[in-house]
Amino acid sequence: MDFLRPYAAQLLSVLRIMSGLLVLQHGTIKYLSIPVGPMNNASPMTMSGAAGIIELVFGALLVIGLFTRLSAFVLSVMCAVAYFYSHAGRNFFPILNGGELAALYSFVFLYLAAAGGGPWSVDRARGAD
Protein backbone atom coordinates (compact mmCIF):
# COMPACT_ATOMS: atom_id res chain seq x y z
CA MET A 1 0.00 0.00 0.00
CA ASP A 2 2.20 2.78 -1.31
CA PHE A 3 -0.37 5.33 -2.46
CA LEU A 4 0.23 7.59 0.58
CA ARG A 5 4.03 7.34 0.50
CA PRO A 6 4.45 10.53 -1.59
CA TYR A 7 2.57 12.43 1.12
CA ALA A 8 4.49 11.14 4.14
CA ALA A 9 6.13 14.49 4.92
CA GLN A 10 2.86 16.41 4.65
CA LEU A 11 1.06 13.81 6.77
CA LEU A 12 3.73 14.28 9.45
CA SER A 13 2.73 17.94 9.55
CA VAL A 14 -0.96 16.99 9.67
CA LEU A 15 -0.26 14.63 12.59
CA ARG A 16 1.61 17.42 14.41
CA ILE A 17 -1.12 19.99 13.79
CA MET A 18 -4.02 17.73 14.79
CA SER A 19 -2.22 16.35 17.86
CA GLY A 20 -1.39 19.89 18.89
CA LEU A 21 -4.99 21.04 18.46
CA LEU A 22 -6.31 18.07 20.41
CA VAL A 23 -4.00 18.65 23.38
CA LEU A 24 -4.43 22.42 23.14
CA GLN A 25 -8.15 22.06 23.88
CA HIS A 26 -7.24 20.55 27.26
CA GLY A 27 -5.49 23.82 28.09
CA THR A 28 -8.14 26.12 26.63
CA ILE A 29 -10.93 24.49 28.64
CA LYS A 30 -8.94 24.89 31.86
CA TYR A 31 -7.78 28.48 31.43
CA LEU A 32 -9.80 30.17 28.68
CA SER A 33 -13.13 28.40 29.41
CA ILE A 34 -13.35 27.39 25.75
CA PRO A 35 -15.49 25.35 25.59
CA VAL A 36 -17.46 25.84 28.77
CA GLY A 37 -17.29 22.67 30.82
CA PRO A 38 -16.53 21.06 34.15
CA MET A 39 -12.78 21.72 33.96
CA ASN A 40 -13.07 25.53 33.66
CA ASN A 41 -11.13 27.79 36.03
CA ALA A 42 -8.33 25.38 36.92
CA SER A 43 -5.87 26.41 39.59
CA PRO A 44 -2.22 26.37 38.49
CA MET A 45 -1.39 25.02 41.96
CA THR A 46 -3.01 21.65 41.16
CA MET A 47 -1.60 18.86 38.98
CA SER A 48 -4.43 19.37 36.48
CA GLY A 49 -3.85 23.12 36.46
CA ALA A 50 -0.10 22.75 35.93
CA ALA A 51 -0.81 20.32 33.10
CA GLY A 52 -3.22 22.90 31.63
CA ILE A 53 -0.46 25.49 31.38
CA ILE A 54 1.80 22.96 29.64
CA GLU A 55 -1.05 21.94 27.30
CA LEU A 56 -1.85 25.55 26.47
CA VAL A 57 1.69 26.77 25.82
CA PHE A 58 3.29 23.72 24.24
CA GLY A 59 0.10 22.71 22.41
CA ALA A 60 0.02 26.11 20.70
CA LEU A 61 3.72 25.86 19.81
CA LEU A 62 3.12 22.39 18.39
CA VAL A 63 0.21 23.56 16.23
CA ILE A 64 2.35 26.20 14.52
CA GLY A 65 5.44 24.01 14.50
CA LEU A 66 7.71 26.28 16.55
CA PHE A 67 10.22 24.52 18.81
CA THR A 68 8.48 21.33 17.70
CA ARG A 69 10.94 18.80 19.09
CA LEU A 70 11.11 20.44 22.52
CA SER A 71 7.35 21.00 22.68
CA ALA A 72 6.57 17.42 21.67
CA PHE A 73 9.06 16.03 24.17
CA VAL A 74 7.63 18.09 27.04
CA LEU A 75 4.10 17.00 26.10
CA SER A 76 5.22 13.36 25.83
CA VAL A 77 6.66 13.43 29.33
CA MET A 78 3.56 15.20 30.67
CA CYS A 79 1.29 12.54 29.17
CA ALA A 80 3.46 9.72 30.53
CA VAL A 81 3.32 11.28 34.00
CA ALA A 82 -0.46 11.67 33.66
CA TYR A 83 -0.76 8.00 32.70
CA PHE A 84 1.29 6.68 35.60
CA TYR A 85 -0.07 9.16 38.14
CA SER A 86 -3.76 8.91 37.27
CA HIS A 87 -4.34 5.64 35.44
CA ALA A 88 -1.75 2.90 35.88
CA GLY A 89 -2.65 2.22 39.51
CA ARG A 90 -6.25 1.36 38.64
CA ASN A 91 -5.52 -1.62 36.40
CA PHE A 92 -2.67 -3.00 34.27
CA PHE A 93 -4.64 -2.71 31.01
CA PRO A 94 -5.06 0.83 29.59
CA ILE A 95 -8.50 -0.01 28.23
CA LEU A 96 -9.63 -0.81 31.77
CA ASN A 97 -7.81 1.99 33.61
CA GLY A 98 -8.99 4.77 31.26
CA GLY A 99 -5.47 5.71 30.26
CA GLU A 100 -5.35 4.73 26.61
CA LEU A 101 -5.58 8.36 25.46
CA ALA A 102 -2.73 9.51 27.72
CA ALA A 103 -0.59 6.55 26.60
CA LEU A 104 -1.30 7.16 22.92
CA TYR A 105 -0.61 10.90 23.23
CA SER A 106 2.67 10.14 24.97
CA PHE A 107 3.92 7.93 22.14
CA VAL A 108 2.64 10.23 19.37
CA PHE A 109 4.44 13.18 20.97
CA LEU A 110 7.57 11.08 21.45
CA TYR A 111 7.52 10.28 17.72
CA LEU A 112 7.05 13.97 16.86
CA ALA A 113 9.98 14.86 19.14
CA ALA A 114 12.15 12.54 17.05
CA ALA A 115 10.67 13.29 13.61
CA GLY A 116 10.28 17.07 13.84
CA GLY A 117 7.49 19.25 12.54
CA GLY A 118 7.44 18.36 8.88
CA PRO A 119 7.33 20.71 5.91
CA TRP A 120 4.42 22.82 7.14
CA SER A 121 6.06 24.24 10.25
CA VAL A 122 7.62 27.47 11.45
CA ASP A 123 10.73 25.45 12.34
CA ARG A 124 11.13 24.38 8.70
CA ALA A 125 10.48 27.92 7.42
CA ARG A 126 13.24 29.31 9.62
CA GLY A 127 15.62 26.45 8.77
CA ALA A 128 15.70 25.01 12.28
CA ASP A 129 14.14 21.58 11.62
Side-chain angles (χ1 to χ4, degrees), residues 6-129:
Y7 308 104
Q10 291 80 8
L11 288 172
L12 172 62
S13 290
V14 171
L15 176 65
R16 174 188 48 80
I17 293 164
M18 290 309 303
S19 298
L21 287 170
L22 289 169
V23 78
L24 179 62
Q25 72 182 345
H26 289 267
T28 62
I29 196 169
K30 292 172 186 169
Y31 286 104
L32 304 177
S33 298
I34 301 170
V36 174
M39 295 189 300
N40 294 150
N41 304 316
S43 168
M45 300 317 228
T46 64
M47 289 284 282
S48 177
I53 293 170
I54 293 169
E55 293 156 347
L56 196 58
V57 172
F58 291 102
L61 288 172
L62 202 64
V63 169
I64 65 172
L66 180 61
F67 307 119
T68 300
R69 293 176 193 273
L70 172 67
S71 299
F73 184 75
V74 169
L75 288 166
S76 177
V77 170
M78 183 206 66
C79 289
V81 169
Y83 178 80
F84 287 107
Y85 183 80
S86 298
H87 302 285
R90 295 184 200 161
N91 194 296
F92 176 78
F93 298 102
I95 192 71
L96 297 178
N97 68 27
E100 65 272 29
L101 185 59
L104 181 60
Y105 270 142
S106 185
F107 284 104
V108 167
F109 292 138
L110 186 61
Y111 172 72
L112 290 172
W120 301 334
S121 67
V122 173
D123 287 338
R124 180 69 59 91
R126 59 187 201 105
D129 188 32

